[in-house]
């Protein structure tokens, strides 16, 4: 799929609306359209990266920003004290359905383990 057709690139450009909760020049965070927990936010890089499997050493700073954004949003959502789950689904067996790297921030309820 080309980046022009990528769903999350289109959300990052503003072409497709989303409930954005944070954005800066590097990352965008918006509420998942089909939430799996009371808080379910996706944190993505603005620029297209297909998955963690295709990330390069040069993406290290960006990946750190994504994680730290999730931690800050967890505090803002009031779920940091009780805890939360951060998930990066990668590839077919990982359950990745949108091929633009995204971190799931899930919280507001107790999570099970192991994941399905
Ligand atoms: P994954 O299965 O890890 O690739 O996660 C993709 C996530 O994107 C799923 O949780 C979907 O509910 C979510 N999603 C799909 N389309 C949209 C959209 N237009 N706005 C917000 N979230 C979406």
């Amino acid at each position: 799929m080309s980046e022009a057709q990528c769903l999350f690139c289109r959300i990052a450009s503003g072409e497709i609306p989303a409930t954005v909760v944070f954005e800066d020049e590097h990352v965008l965070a918006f509420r998942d359209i089909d939430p799996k927990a009371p808080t379910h936010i996706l944190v993505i890089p603005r620029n297209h990266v297909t998955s963690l499997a295709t990330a390069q050493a040069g993406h290290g700073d960006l990946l750190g920003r994504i994680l730290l954004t999730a931690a800050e949003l967890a505090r803002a959502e009031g779920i940091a004290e009780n805890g939360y789950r951060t998930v990066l689904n990668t590839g077919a067996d990982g359950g990745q359905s949108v091929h633009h790297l995204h971190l799931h921030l899930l919280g507001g309820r107790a999570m099970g383990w192991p994941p399905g």
Side-chain angles (χ1 to χ4, degrees), residues 7-8 11 16-18 30-34 36 40 42 89 95-98 102 104:
L7 174 63
F8 287 176
I11 287 176
I16 292 177
F30 52 94
R31 297 199 187 277
D32 196 291
I33 203 167
D34 181 19
K36 312 301 188 299
H40 189 174
L42 303 174
N89 293 329
Q96 184 177 7
S97 63
V98 177
H102 50 282
H104 295 259

Side-chain angles (χ1 to χ4, degrees), residues 4-113:
Q5 294 171 316
C6 167
L7 174 63
F8 287 176
C9 283
R10 294 170 77 191
I11 287 176
S13 72
E15 183 189 339
I16 292 177
T19 305
V20 173
V21 293
F22 175 79
E23 60 183 317
D24 65 16
E25 62 185 305
H26 304 287
V27 306
L28 183 78
F30 52 94
R31 297 199 187 277
D32 196 291
I33 203 167
D34 181 19
K36 312 301 188 299
T39 290
H40 189 174
I41 291 169
L42 303 174
V43 187
I44 70 168
R46 273 197 182 279
N47 293 331
H48 188 86
V49 179
T50 301
S51 76
L52 188 61
T54 65
Q56 309 287 315
H59 290 122
D61 183 59
L62 182 61
L63 291 168
R65 287 176 184 274
I66 288 169
L67 282 168
L68 291 170
T69 297
E72 184 57 39
L73 287 170
R75 286 188 282 273
E77 293 281 313
I79 59 173
E81 192 171 334
N82 280 357
Y84 50 88
R85 177 75 51 84
T86 46
V87 177
L88 273 167
N89 293 329
T90 302
D93 278 4
Q96 184 177 7
S97 63
V98 177
H99 297 284
H100 180 130
L101 189 151
H102 50 282
L103 183 84
H104 295 259
L105 169 63
L106 297 143
R109 65 170 173 83
M111 302 288 155
W113 192 264

